[in-house]
Amino acid sequence: MSEVENPELYFNRELSLLEFHDRVLSQAFDESVPLLERLRFLCISSTNLDEFFEVRVGGLKERYEAGVNTAGPDGLTPHTALERIAVRAHEIVDRQYQCLNEVLLPELLERGVHIIKRGDWSKEQFAWLKEYFNSEVLPLLSPIGLDPAHPFPRILNKSLNFIVQLSGKDAFGRNSGLAIVQCPRALPDVVAIPSEISNRDGHQFVFMSSIIHQFMDELFFGMKVDSCYQFRVTRNSDLFVDEEETGDLRRAIEGELVYRQYGDEVRLELAQNCPDEMVEFLSNKFEVTEQDLYRVDGPVNLNRLTQVIDLVNDESMLYPPFSLNVPKQLKRYRNIFQAISKQDILLHHPYDSFKVVVELIRQAAKDSDVVAIKQTLYRTGPDSVIVDALVAAAKAGKEVTVVIELRARFDEEANVALAEKLQEVGIHVVYGVVGYKTHAKMLLVARREKNKLKHYVHLGTGNYHPKTAKIYTDYGLLTANRAMGEDVYRVFLQLTSLGKVSKLEALYQSPFTLHKSMMNLIDREIHNAKAGKPAFILAKMNSLYEKALVDKLYEASQAGVQIDLIVRGVCQIRPGIEGLSDNIRVRSIVGRLLEHTRAFCFGNDNSPEVICASADWMTRNMFDRVETGFPILLKKHRDRIINELRLYMADNVNAYTLNSDGTYSKVSEPDLDPICAQELLLEGNNPIVNS
């Protein structure tokens, strides 16, 4: 299909990701969302942009500076992409500060949450804050006067800093006129004003940056502080580890983590009132261009406001709590192994409790018939109950093997520490396969029953992370199916040993069979559509960015296959083009929960086939990672997933439609009853099923 080679038919990955970040920011403007949750969405949009610059912009800059001028499928070279990214990113940042200053701060003030500016402190507050500064802040600050003996310091990635203009001379007769003050990360982002000196009801806070700014002259005794401005630098944070040349991957990554704080500069954020000569001075020091410069009307790191949410913690301004479901099947049997033996159990987190997965490991640790546990860990969080259960199993004499992915971005340090902790108790720890991230979510329990080993398996679409399992949506399958158990064992064997690729009976695996299988399943729908049979594809994923799959979907659309895609973030495909993609609809759901499920449904001539996977439809997932896709064998489970995905397609509260020009439109159907898929599933009610 030659016309599919047209670059106008593919959206740029980074620009598409920016559109997702903008949708997250839109939640902060949404008056139907509780007020503190809106503030949280603003903070999330800020951290999202941080990571975007650290990784995506950092990578593009590396390519551009290396002289790479090759265009992607969208026709954009790194240089052109960076120019377009800068325009869109500046628009989003302007919206962030508009949201803070014109919307959230006034509404928070009405609800008794006041962030006090320096000029509004009462005498009592001023005195208290000065004492606080002298006792808690001043001893931690180390100002650096700029002169030949004190060159411009190395600035930590994303740290809060001040550039200070001074007049007068110090004890040695020196004054270059400038100094740098770095704010230690040990200090809180905001300080709560004690109730006895509050001048209004409710909560009153002051930014740490305001306190340091106000009392900056305490750092330069006998000199005059003429001006003081916040700034923050974002650096390229991608790690480079030559896995072919290193003999110890863990030690190599530990070494690289130090340099993440001092990578190349990719963004400079400055106080809006910073004068041009100061802006020019900092821009030259950090070697950034005008498009990398972001002047902001407020704190240079909006994520500092997260502490306000935690300190206020007012239920009336937060989402109401919800109860977690435990499948009835698990309550009918004495132990979890009997329940799984009876029938596969499908879990949809957080609607179904993640404690079920934890309980499987806990019972396996205590069960005298269990002889071995194998598990992959990509992200699991500090002090994880999963880790505690694995440690308990090892101490109970079980053979425990854990495959830890050390290169899980921004969790590398935690995973290195985790590997050391597990090895200390005798757990076999391996780091997967050189050159491929291990992203599969697998747990295997080997149990001796009637003198034979039986495998109990958990396969999932998300990480073994109990905290994120409460806010991320993910599917998980508990099964004692023989073929799946043997396949999971074979994949673990690949990861821990050496040998040729094993042929899997039930599972799909990247980088070997998953991509080809998905292409074949789409081809089957094309064949059915051309034969006049019912044909549809209903798929949900985090990201869609793999040209061969996109081209195959275009081909399916032209053949008459109805294609409904629920893609949370990056989406390469351009829907709604007459004669090419007019049978393709793309929706994005952005709401209370982070949509993280990967589920792929194919009509199969009225006998639907459903596959869940740890993988998105992205090049990296298909070819550069170890991933697993698992079929949903029970009809009732397939029906449940299809009905839940159709509910997402019917959502008219949190849904956005991807337009042919790459923009997203919020779905609005004022004449119809509101349908919020997440809220309905939290309530255990799916009208798609009940209708």
Side-chain angles (χ1 to χ4, degrees):
M1 298 173 60
S2 58
E3 62 179 319
V4 179
E5 298 303 316
N6 182 351
E8 293 183 0
L9 302 181
Y10 306 95
F11 292 128
N12 174 266
R13 178 175 177 176
E14 284 73 31
L15 292 172
S16 181
L17 185 53
L18 279 176
E19 292 307 310
F20 167 67
H21 296 331
D22 191 58
R23 295 195 294 280
V24 172
L25 175 58
S26 292
Q27 293 295 107
F29 285 93
D30 189 340
E31 295 181 359
S32 69
V33 175
L35 185 54
L36 286 178
E37 303 292 357
R38 292 167 64 188
L39 182 59
R40 194 189 310 278
F41 277 114
L42 177 64
C43 294
I44 292 171
S45 78
S46 176
T47 56
N48 282 351
L49 269 189
D50 284 352
E51 184 172 337
F52 177 81
F53 277 94
E54 289 177 286
V55 179
R56 302 309 313 168
V57 173
L60 282 172
K61 281 183 172 289
E62 276 187 4
R63 292 176 60 201
Y64 172 64
E65 289 165 6
V68 176
N69 202 38
T70 307
D74 49 69
L76 299 183
T77 64
H79 177 66
T80 308
L82 286 167
E83 289 182 332
R84 292 183 58 180
I85 286 167
V87 172
R88 190 69 181 103
H90 276 89
E91 292 172 351
I92 293 173
V93 170
D94 289 344
R95 281 193 75 207
Q96 287 178 330
Y97 286 87
Q98 176 201 0
C99 182
L100 175 67
N101 295 316
E102 299 178 18
V103 181
L104 294 184
L105 289 181
E107 292 191 27
L108 285 165
L109 183 58
E110 288 182 11
R111 298 293 300 272
V113 180
H114 186 198
I115 298 174
I116 317 171
K117 296 181 178 180
R118 287 181 296 121
D120 296 332
W121 298 351
S122 68
K123 289 183 179 179
E124 294 82 1
Q125 290 168 349
F126 186 96
W128 185 87
L129 287 165
K130 186 171 184 178
E131 172 61 27
Y132 178 88
F133 174 82
N134 286 327
S135 62
E136 302 295 330
V137 181
L138 184 58
L140 300 182
L141 299 179
S142 299
I144 299 174
L146 302 183
D147 63 26
H150 302 87
F152 197 91
R154 295 297 301 271
I155 301 298
L156 281 172
N157 182 36
K158 299 185 296 185
S159 62
L160 172 63
N161 304 272
F162 298 86
I163 184 164
V164 185
Q165 201 161 24
L166 302 164
S167 57
K169 294 185 181 296
D170 73 357
F172 298 94
R174 303 171 305 173
N175 183 20
S176 68
L178 291 176
I180 298 294
V181 177
Q182 303 182 59
C183 181
R185 288 178 172 171
L187 291 172
D189 294 324
V190 295
V191 174
I193 298 294
S195 57
E196 58 268 22
I197 58 170
S198 294
N199 52 17
R200 62 170 65 230
D201 293 334
H203 304 267
Q204 291 191 306
F205 302 99
V206 176
F207 279 123
M208 177 57 66
S209 56
S210 296
I211 299 172
I212 295 174
H213 192 156
Q214 178 63 48
F215 302 113
M216 187 66 75
D217 55 354
E218 299 286 329
L219 295 169
F220 303 96
F221 182 72
M223 302 183 73
K224 182 174 182 290
V225 173
D226 296 322
S227 60
C228 174
Y229 306 98
Q230 296 180 48
F231 71 91
R232 187 172 79 131
V233 174
T234 309
R235 298 182 178 278
N236 184 344
S237 295
D238 253 1
L239 298 184
F240 173 76
V241 177
D242 189 340
E243 298 178 43
E244 297 289 351
E245 295 298 324
T246 182
D248 188 331
L249 182 59
R250 192 181 84 192
R251 297 302 177 200
I253 286 177
E254 285 179 311
E256 279 295 306
L257 285 170
V258 176
Y259 297 102
R260 169 173 281 169
Q261 299 294 345
Y262 300 106
D264 291 341
E265 300 87 349
V266 295
R267 176 180 59 168
L268 173 61
E269 296 167 278
L270 283 158
Q272 191 177 66
N273 62 342
C274 189
D276 290 344
E277 63 270 17
M278 205 77 82
V279 173
E280 184 178 0
F281 173 79
L282 289 172
S283 297
N284 289 336
K285 285 295 180 184
F286 296 121
E287 298 181 340
V288 296
T289 64
E290 182 68 26
Q291 73 178 22
D292 305 318
L293 191 62
Y294 291 77
R295 299 187 191 222
V296 299
D297 184 15
V300 293
N301 178 8
L302 290 174
N303 193 48
R304 287 189 243 157
L305 289 153
T306 300
Q307 287 188 6
V308 172
I309 303 168
D310 298 332
L311 290 168
V312 173
N313 196 29
D314 185 333
E315 290 185 0
S316 69
M317 291 186 275
L318 295 167
Y319 285 123
F322 58 86
S323 57
L324 303 174
N325 176 59
V326 175
K328 294 178 182 177
Q329 186 175 332
L330 291 168
K331 302 174 183 177
R332 295 185 187 134
Y333 295 91
R334 183 172 57 85
N335 64 48
I336 198 166
F337 302 108
Q338 290 178 330
I340 299 172
S341 289
K342 183 67 176 178
Q343 193 175 82
D344 289 358
I345 299 171
L346 178 68
L347 302 170
H348 191 182
H349 309 300
Y351 316 112
D352 296 319
S353 175
F354 187 75
K355 289 181 179 179
V356 173
V357 181
V358 177
E359 188 60 24
L360 172 60
I361 308 175
R362 281 179 173 163
Q363 288 194 27
K366 297 176 182 178
D367 192 311
S368 59
D369 293 324
V370 170
V371 296
I373 301 172
K374 301 178 189 293
Q375 186 170 11
T376 59
L377 291 178
Y378 192 76
R379 304 184 198 275
T380 189
D383 304 318
S384 168
V385 291
I386 291 277
V387 173
D388 292 343
L390 291 171
V391 169
K395 289 180 177 179
K398 316 296 183 189
E399 190 79 8
V400 181
T401 301
V402 176
V403 180
I404 296 180
E405 180 47 68
L406 294 181
R407 296 153 299 177
R409 185 175 286 124
F410 299 117
D411 271 354
E412 297 96 343
E413 187 172 1
N415 284 359
V416 166
L418 172 61
E420 293 176 348
K421 177 178 179 178
L422 295 180
Q423 286 173 328
E424 286 173 0
V425 295
I427 292 175
H428 303 296
V429 176
V430 295
Y431 306 129
V433 181
V434 170
Y436 297 87
K437 280 189 178 182
T438 301
H439 195 251
K441 323 301 182 185
M442 307 182 301
L443 168 63
L444 176 70
V445 176
R447 190 169 189 259
R448 196 171 297 282
E449 298 177 7
K450 298 178 181 178
N451 294 320
K452 291 184 178 181
L453 281 183
K454 184 171 182 178
H455 290 147
Y456 292 86
V457 166
H458 172 265
L459 291 157
T461 68
N463 299 308
Y464 291 103
H465 197 306
K467 289 186 178 179
T468 59
K470 296 178 181 177
I471 54 175
Y472 287 21
T473 67
D474 273 303
Y475 283 118
L477 182 70
L478 296 170
T479 182
N481 177 272
R482 179 201 56 80
M484 285 199 195
E486 290 183 2
D487 281 358
V488 169
Y489 172 76
R490 291 190 186 101
V491 176
F492 272 113
L493 203 60
Q494 287 177 4
L495 294 172
T496 60
S497 183
L498 298 170
K500 296 290 187 181
V501 177
S502 301
K503 184 176 181 181
L504 303 182
E505 184 178 342
L507 300 186
Y508 308 89
Q509 185 192 4
S510 290
F512 307 118
T513 61
L514 183 58
H515 183 266
K516 182 178 179 180
S517 298
M518 291 296 172
M519 295 284 281
N520 289 341
L521 289 166
I522 299 172
D523 270 329
R524 186 177 63 190
E525 296 306 307
I526 293 171
H527 176 79
N528 286 341
K530 288 181 176 179
K533 298 177 181 178
F536 77 85
I537 297 168
L538 176 58
K540 184 172 182 293
M541 64 203 85
N542 301 325
S543 301
L544 169 57
Y545 197 86
E546 203 289 305
K547 187 175 180 297
L549 282 166
V550 168
D551 290 348
K552 186 61 69 174
L553 290 172
Y554 281 145
E555 184 182 344
S557 172
Q558 289 179 304
V561 179
Q562 179 57 50
I563 302 167
D564 289 322
L565 305 173
I566 306 159
V567 185
R568 185 190 79 206
V570 172
C571 187
Q572 186 180 30
I573 203 165
R574 190 184 290 270
I577 300 174
E578 186 175 353
L580 178 69
S581 59
D582 37 8
N583 286 317
I584 299 175
R585 297 185 297 179
V586 180
R587 282 199 165 193
S588 174
I589 304 292
V590 181
R592 173 178 185 173
L593 306 173
L594 183 75
E595 291 300 332
H596 197 254
T597 48
R598 290 107 165 187
F600 311 100
C601 311
F602 303 91
N604 193 28
D605 190 17
N606 286 329
S607 182
E609 188 168 344
V610 177
I611 298 164
C612 294
S614 59
D616 290 310
W617 280 1
M618 295 190 75
T619 303
R620 67 183 188 189
N621 298 96
M622 294 295 162
F623 305 110
D624 301 324
R625 293 183 173 186
V626 178
E627 307 270 15
T628 49
F630 49 99
I632 304 301
L633 301 178
L634 292 185
K635 182 180 183 301
K636 68 174 184 178
H637 291 163
R638 293 196 298 270
D639 290 346
R640 175 186 174 184
I641 291 173
I642 290 171
N643 287 328
E644 286 173 345
L645 298 192
R646 285 176 175 162
L647 178 63
Y648 281 112
M649 288 301 299
D651 191 303
N652 56 20
V653 174
N654 288 329
Y656 291 79
T657 297
L658 174 58
N659 302 312
S660 297
D661 62 359
T663 62
Y664 283 78
S665 300
K666 186 79 180 281
V667 174
S668 177
E669 297 173 332
D671 296 332
L672 299 177
D673 291 336
I675 297 175
C676 179
Q678 291 184 354
E679 291 301 322
L680 289 168
L681 291 173
L682 285 173
E683 295 166 3
N685 176 29
N686 185 348
I688 303 296
V689 175
N690 297 334
S691 60

